[in-house]
Amino acid sequence: MASVGRFMRTIRVSEFGAPEVLKLLSDVPVPSPGENQVLIRVRAAGVNPVDTYIRAGVYARKPNLPYTPGSDVSGIVEEVGKNVTTFKKGDRVFTTNTITGGYAEYAVASEDTVHQLPEQLSFPQGAAISVPYFTAYRALFLKAQGKPGEVVLVHGASGGVGIAACQIARAYGFKVFGTAGSPEGVNLVDDWKEASATLFKGMESGWLKPLIGPEYPLEKAPQAHQDIIQNSGATGKMIFVL
């Protein structure tokens, strides 16, 4: 359902293909949240390698066309569904997923995928938490079963996931070595609650500080998708700033 009389800018993909299929539309109705959903005024949206695989049609899971890419955003709560109790209008938040897509001025997300964004983190940093940090936590603890005091080698330590892995590993007492390179996109299906608890401790204590890389306006979406795949030695997380 859309809000009556309100329109937004958004990126839409009507066919799978090259970055040029990312089209900026400016007359799309603002969506309305369902009973257990939150409408967010997006201030920043993360750009992830997996977004490019989905857009190209080579990813295992293909969305129905047309669709708006993007999963991790940060911004301000604009409206909440009638059953939402965790958030209110005006809250600073970030998401681990969206329902309507993140490359847009407004996005709807399920309440259980929305988290409070601490004041000490900027909106671009908020949009850089989800995929890099949840991926890094899953790799270090849920897959590798890492223990404090062990040595960890982070390949692609200058990219979004690599930086997240280094910060988490150092905070938990690992001896960390890293190589420079581009991070790979990962589709997360993690133990979100366990990861969330650890990452929120990092936000509160100050060691979780996402490093922001190139920033793009929405109209540069095709360029962003080219850059994230073609540019080697990425530093920080690519972000759309709205």
Side-chain angles (χ1 to χ4, degrees):
M1 182 180 295
S3 298
V4 178
R6 300 175 65 193
F7 298 92
M8 66 178 183
R9 295 188 309 145
T10 185
I11 295 293
R12 279 286 167 84
V13 175
S14 297
E15 60 179 327
F16 298 114
E20 288 71 29
V21 303
L22 297 165
K23 303 298 184 182
L24 178 65
L25 305 181
S26 58
D27 57 353
V28 176
V30 174
S32 296
E35 293 182 352
N36 299 297
Q37 299 172 353
V38 176
L39 176 65
I40 300 167
R41 172 61 174 94
V42 178
R43 297 290 300 275
V47 185
N48 299 296
V50 71
D51 297 342
T52 71
Y53 311 147
I54 296 171
R55 181 218 72 229
V58 299
Y59 195 64
R61 174 177 51 82
K62 293 184 177 68
N64 294 326
L65 296 172
Y67 79 98
T68 294
S71 60
D72 43 348
V73 307
S74 67
I76 302 291
V77 173
E78 178 77 9
E79 186 180 345
V80 300
K82 68 178 183 180
N83 291 339
V84 173
T85 58
T86 311
F87 305 100
K88 65 183 185 305
K89 182 179 174 63
D91 284 349
R92 301 174 84 249
V93 296
F94 73 94
T95 69
T96 56
N97 201 4
T98 64
I99 295 170
T100 57
Y103 294 11
E105 291 181 320
Y106 291 87
V108 168
S110 176
E111 181 182 17
D112 60 1
T113 66
V114 180
H115 306 275
Q116 297 283 355
L117 179 64
E119 289 290 340
Q120 58 264 41
L121 294 181
S122 67
F123 288 114
Q125 287 177 318
I129 294 172
S130 174
V131 170
Y133 283 85
F134 282 88
T135 301
Y137 180 89
R138 182 172 183 259
L140 285 170
F141 295 108
L142 303 182
K143 289 297 185 180
Q145 300 292 308
K147 300 293 188 299
E150 293 182 336
V151 176
V152 59
L153 173 65
V154 180
H155 181 61
S158 64
V161 176
I163 290 167
C166 290
Q167 289 183 356
I168 294 172
R170 283 197 300 266
Y172 278 79
F174 290 79
K175 187 173 183 179
V176 183
F177 294 91
T179 66
S182 299
E184 298 178 353
V186 178
N187 181 39
L188 299 180
V189 292
D190 304 4
D191 187 339
W192 293 109
K193 290 185 179 179
E194 181 179 342
S196 294
T198 297
L199 298 181
F200 275 104
K201 289 179 183 177
M203 294 179 211
E204 292 171 354
S205 60
W207 61 255
L208 192 157
K209 293 182 179 179
L211 178 63
I212 303 305
E215 299 183 359
Y216 301 82
L218 272 184
E219 54 266 29
K220 295 293 186 181
Q223 185 65 52
H225 271 218
Q226 289 179 359
D227 292 348
I228 199 169
I229 294 300
Q230 295 177 0
N231 290 0
S232 61
T235 301
K237 177 69 180 282
M238 285 187 177
I239 295 291
F240 289 119
V241 177
L242 290 83

